[in-house]
C-alpha cells in the first residue's frame, strides 16, 4: 500500500515536471540539424550550418539550436535522430540524401515533431517535408565556363553517388560545356563518398594526370581545389556548395584554381520553416528552389575568366534567375541517341527528380 | 575506354606519393615487430602524428617543424603502449587496439580548431635538368623531400637490421628474449626504443597525409591506412625491401583503380574499389600456405610475447 502511494506520488511529480518542461518548450522553439560531415568542411555542411546560425540570429532568444556533425548515413542516423527527438527538438533538419529512410522511420514514432529532409523524395508521414535546391542551374553556369576555358578539351567531374541529384549535375554541366565547345569530352570519376579529402584529392590527381584541366566536384571538401592548385595555374576548378574563396589566390599571390563557385544558400528556407513551426502554420511540403529564390548563388568570378566569358555567364545567370531560360531545354537526346526533349521543350520536374540516364555525348555508364 | 590516356610515367610518380604514408608506417612497424613486439596501434599513432604535424606546421608556418612534431607525437603516443606492455605486462593485442581507439579520439579532440585550414605548402624538389628527362625525370627527380627521405629510411633500416651490431641485438631480442637477456642485453630497453621508433615513423606517415598528400586536417583522415601498413609487414614476411614492394603494390592498386575509372574502363566501380583488399587476402593466403623445409612466414619467434626478467 505504502509502496503504491509512493509510486503514484512519483508519477504525479514526474508528470508535473514534464508539463513544466513542455510549457517551457513552447516558449522556446528548438531547431535541430543533422550533418553528414564536420561543420568545418568548407563546403556542404558548412553552408547548412550557416543556415542554422542565420536562424539563431533571426529569432535570437526565441529559438535554441542543436546540431550533430559527421553522422554516418545508415543505422547510426536513426539513433541520432531518435535521441534528438527525445531531447525536445521541435523541428529536425536532416541534411543529406542518405538520411531519407531514417528520417521517415523516426518521423513515424514522433508525429508531433516536424522533420525536414534535404535532397530526398520520400514523404511517408504528414510530419515529413523535403527540400532541395536546383543545383543543376549552378552546374549549367560552371559547365559553360568549363567549356570556354578548357585547353585540353577534357573536363572532369568528381561524382559521389549515382543518385538523381548528382546525375542532373553531370548532365547539366556537360550539356552547357558542349554548347560552348563542341569538342569537349567529359571524364566522370565515382568516389562513393560525400566527404573523404584523401580520396577526393586522389580522384582529382588521376584526372589531372590524364589531361583534364577543369575539375568540378560533387563532394564536400576543398581537397580537389587543393590538388588543382599544385598544377600552378594549368588546372582550374570551382567552389562547390560554399564559396571556397580561400582558393582564389595561391600563397604566393598568383591566381588560384578557384575561378567561380556554386553556393548553396539555405538561410531563407531555414528561417521560413522555423518561423512556420513557431507560428503553428507548418505544413508538409516539397520545396525545390533555385536561382530565382536565391537558394543557388554563383560566387564571384576571378580575373582568370576573360571578360567576354564573364559577360556570357552573367547573361545566363540573369536568364535563369528571371525564369526565361531552363538549363534543360531541348533539343537534348539521351545517351543511346533516343530523343528526350524536342526543340524548345523544357524538362519537367518529375523526370529531373528521378533522373537515371546520361544525355548524348557522355561516355561510360552510370554505376547501378 | 581509352587506356592510352593513362600515362605510365605519371602513374608511377603518383604511386610513389600515394604509397609514402603506408610505407613509413609499415617500415616502423617492421622494426617494432623485429624486436618481438606486436603493436596494433599503428592507425592511432598515424592519426595522432597527422594532427600534431598539422597543428605545428600551421602555427609555425614551417612544414619541417611539422614533420618533426608529427614524429614526436607518434612516439609519445606509442610510449603509452610501451609502458603498459613492457612494465605492466599487459596483453599486446588488446593494448594496441586500445591505442588505435584512443589515438582516433585524441586526434579528433586536438583537431577541433584546425578543420578547414590550409597548411603551409611543401615544395617539390625540382632538379632543373634531371626532372626533364623523358620517363625517369618525373618518376625519380620530381618529388617532395619526404619521398626521398622515406626511401633512404627503408634502405637504412634494411642495412641496420642486416649488417649492424644494433640490428643483431634487435633481432636477438625478437627471436629469443630469454637468450638475449642471459647475454646481458636489456630486453625491455631495446623494445621500448623500437616501439618509440615505430611510433615516430607512423607519426611521420600521418604527417605526410595531412601536410602534403591531402593537404588538410579532417577527422579520421587516415581511413584505415594503419591497418594496411600492418598487413604489409606480414605480406613482406618481415623483410624491409619487400615492405617497399608491398607498399607500392597497395598504393598502385588504389591509384590504378581511379585511373582506370577516369579512362572509362567498363568494370563496375565496386570491383575496382575492393581490389586492393582482395589482393591482400590472396597474397596472405599464398604466403602463409605451409611449405616444406622452413617456417613459411618467418615471423620473429618471440613476436607478441611478454618478457619479464624473472621468468
Amino acid at each position: 500500500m505504502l509502496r503504491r502511494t509512493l509510486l503514484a506520488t512519483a508519477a504525479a511529480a514526474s508528470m508535473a515536471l514534464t508539463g513544466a518542461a513542455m510549457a517551457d518548450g513552447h516558449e522556446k522553439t528548438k531547431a535541430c540539424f543533422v550533418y553528414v560531415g564536420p561543420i568545418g568542411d568548407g563546403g556542404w555542411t558548412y553552408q547548412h550550418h550557416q543556415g542554422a546560425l542565420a536562424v539563431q540570429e533571426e529569432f535570437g532568444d526565441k529559438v535554441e539550436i542543436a546540431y550533430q556533425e559527421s553522422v554516418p548515413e545508415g543505422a547510426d542516423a536513426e539513433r541520432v535522430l531518435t535521441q534528438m527527438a527525445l531531447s525536445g527538438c521541435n523541428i529536425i533538419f536532416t541534411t543529406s540524401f542518405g538520411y531519407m529512410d531514417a528520417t521517415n522511420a523516426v518521423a513515424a514514432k514522433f508525429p508531433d515533431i516536424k522533420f525536414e529532409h534535404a535532397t530526398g523524395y520520400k514523404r511517408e508521414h504528414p510530419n515529413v517535408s523535403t527540400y532541395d535546391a536546383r543545383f543543376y542551374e549552378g552546374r549549367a553556369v560552371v559547365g559553360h565556363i568549363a567549356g570556354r576555358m578548357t585547353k585540353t578539351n577534357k573536363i572532369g567531374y568528381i561524382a559521389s553517388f549515382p543518385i538523381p541529384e548528382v546525375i542532373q549535375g553531370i548532365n547539366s554541366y556537360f550539356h552547357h560545356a558542349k554548347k560552348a565547345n563542341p569538342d569537349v569530352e567529359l571524364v566522370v570519376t565515382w568516389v562513393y563518398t560525400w566527404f573523404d579529402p584523401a580520396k577526393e584529392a586522389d580522384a582529382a590527381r588521376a584526372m589531372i594526370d590524364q589531361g583534364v584541366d577543369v575539375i568540378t566536384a560533387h563532394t564536400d571538401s576543398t581537397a580537389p581545389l587543393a590538388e588543382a592548385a599544385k598544377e600552378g595555374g594549368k588546372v582550374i576548378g570551382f567552389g562547390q556548395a560554399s564559396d571556397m574563396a580561400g582558393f582564389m589566390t595561391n600563397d604566393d599571390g598568383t591566381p588560384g584554381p578557384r575561378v567561380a563557385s556554386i553556393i548553396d544558400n539555405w538561410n531563407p528556407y531555414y528561417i521560413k520553416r522555423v518561423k512556420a513551426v513557431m507560428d503553428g502554420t507548418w505544413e508538409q511540403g516539397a520545396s525545390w528552389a533555385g536561382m530565382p529564390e536565391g537558394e543557388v548563388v554563383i560566387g564571384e568570378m576571378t580575373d582568370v575568366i576573360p571578360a567576354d566569358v564573364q559577360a556570357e555567364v552573367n547573361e545566363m545567370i540573369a536568364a535563369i534567375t528571371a525564369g526565361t531560360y531552363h538549363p534543360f531545354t531541348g533539343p537534348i537526346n539521351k545517351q543511346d541517341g533516343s530523343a528526350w526533349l524536342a526543340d524548345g521543350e523544357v524538362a519537367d520536374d518529375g523526370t529531373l527528380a528521378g533522373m537515371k540516364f546520361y544525355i548524348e555525348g557522355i561516355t561510360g555508364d552510370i554505376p547501378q | 575506354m581509352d587506356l592510352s590516356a593513362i600515362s605510365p610515367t605519371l602513374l608511377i610518380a603518383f604511386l610513389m606519393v600515394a604509397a609514402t604514408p603506408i610505407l613509413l608506417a609499415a617500415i616502423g612497424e617492421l622494426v617494432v615487430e623485429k624486436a618481438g613486439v606486436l603493436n596494433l596501434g599503428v592507425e592511432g599513432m598515424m592519426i595522432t602524428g597527422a594532427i600534431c604535424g598539422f597543428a605545428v606546421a600551421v602555427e609555425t608556418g614551417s612544414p619541417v617543424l611539422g614533420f618533426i612534431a608529427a614524429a614526436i607525437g607518434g612516439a609519445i603516443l606509442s610510449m603509452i603502449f610501451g609502458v603498459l606492455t613492457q612494465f605492466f605486462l599487459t596483453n599486446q593485442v588488446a593494448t594496441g587496439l586500445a591505442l588505435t581507439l584512443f589515438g582516433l579520439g585524441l586526434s579528433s579532440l586536438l583537431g577541433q580548431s584546425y578543420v578547414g585550414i590550409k597548411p603551409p605548402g611543401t615544395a617539390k624538389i625540382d632538379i632543373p635538368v634531371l626532372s626533364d628527362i623523358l620517363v625517369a625525370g618525373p618518376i625519380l627527380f620530381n618529388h617532395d623531400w619526404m619521398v626521398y627521405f622515406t626511401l633512404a629510411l627503408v634502405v637504412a633500416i634494411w642495412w641496420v637490421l642486416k649488417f649492424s651490431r644494433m640490428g643483431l641485438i634487435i633481432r636477438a631480442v625478437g627471436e629469443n628474449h630469454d637468450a638475449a637477456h642471459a647475454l646481458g642485453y636489456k630486453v625491455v630497453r631495446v623494445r621500448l626504443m623500437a616501439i618509440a621508433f615505430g611510433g615516430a615513423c607512423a607519426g611521420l606517415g600521418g604527417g605526410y597525409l595531412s601536410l602534403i598528400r591531402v593537404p588538410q586536417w579532417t577527422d579520421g583522415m587516415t581511413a584505415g591506412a594503419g591497418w594496411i601498413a600492418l598487413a604489409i609487414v606480414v605480406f613482406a614476411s618481415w623483410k624491409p625491401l619487400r615492405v617497399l614492394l608491398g607498399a607500392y603494390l597497395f598504393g598502385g592498386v588504389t591509384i590504378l583503380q581511379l585511373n582506370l575509372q577516369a579512362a572509362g574502363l567498363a568494370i563496375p566501380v565496386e570491383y575496382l574499389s575492393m581490389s586492393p583488399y582482395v589482393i591482400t587476402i590472396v597474397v596472405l593466403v599464398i604466403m602463409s600456405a605451409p611449405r616444406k623445409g622452413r617456417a613459411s612466414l618467418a615471423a620473429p619467434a618471440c613476436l607478441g610475447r611478454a618478457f619479464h626478467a624473472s621468468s
Side-chain angles (χ1 to χ4, degrees), chain B residues 76-136:
Chain B
I76 289 175
L77 194 73
S78 73
M79 275 301 99
I80 298 176
F81 174 87
V83 169
L84 285 171
T85 57
Q86 300 308 307
F87 293 123
F88 300 114
L89 306 184
T90 56
N91 180 298
Q92 293 183 3
V93 172
T95 313
L97 291 174
L99 194 71
T100 288
L101 297 176
F102 176 64
L104 286 170
L106 180 73
S107 62
S108 178
L109 179 71
L110 291 175
Q112 293 259 315
S113 52
Y114 290 99
V115 177
I117 298 178
K118 272 201 287 183
T122 306
K124 281 183 176 179
I125 297 175
D126 201 354
I127 309 164
V129 183
L130 290 178
S131 62
D132 293 334
I133 302 173
L134 199 57
V135 174

Side-chain angles (χ1 to χ4, degrees), chain B residues 174-220:
Chain B
E175 292 296 340
N176 190 332
H177 49 220
D178 294 322
H181 177 66
L183 286 171
Y185 293 116
K186 309 281 188 211
V187 173
V188 170
R189 191 184 301 167
V190 170
R191 285 188 171 168
L192 276 177
M193 285 193 288
I195 292 168
F197 179 78
C201 285
L204 277 178
Y208 190 82
L209 267 180
S210 65
L211 286 174
I212 296 182
R213 177 128 177 263
V214 174
Q216 208 180 43
W217 162 253
T218 44
D219 270 7

Side-chain angles (χ1 to χ4, degrees), chain A residues 86-110:
Chain A
L86 290 172
S87 75
C89 298
N90 302 97
I91 181 166
I92 301 177
F93 294 90
T94 55
T95 64
S96 188
F97 180 81
Y99 300 142
M100 182 158 66
D101 293 326
T103 306
N104 281 288
V106 178
K109 287 183 244 166
F110 298 93

Side-chain angles (χ1 to χ4, degrees), chain A residues 40 154 187-190 192 195 197-198 201-203 205-207 209-210 222 226-227 230 246-247 249 251 367-368, chain B residues 5-7 10-11 14 115-116 118-119 121 212-216 218 221 223 255 258-263 269-270:
Chain A
K154 269 181 117 171
V187 176
V188 180
T189 309
W190 297 93
Y192 285 93
F195 185 74
D202 282 354
R205 168 56 45 192
M207 294 201 289
D209 281 353
Q210 294 193 19
T222 53
E227 197 64 38
K230 293 180 188 168
F247 290 90
T249 40
D251 293 339
Q368 293 307 311
Chain B
I6 301 177
S7 147
L10 290 175
L11 188 70
F14 182 16
V115 177
K118 272 201 287 183
I212 296 182
R213 177 128 177 263
V214 174
Q216 208 180 43
T218 44
M221 68 181 301
I255 298 315
L258 287 166
N259 264 284
L260 286 175
Q261 226 199 101
V269 182
E270 294 83 351

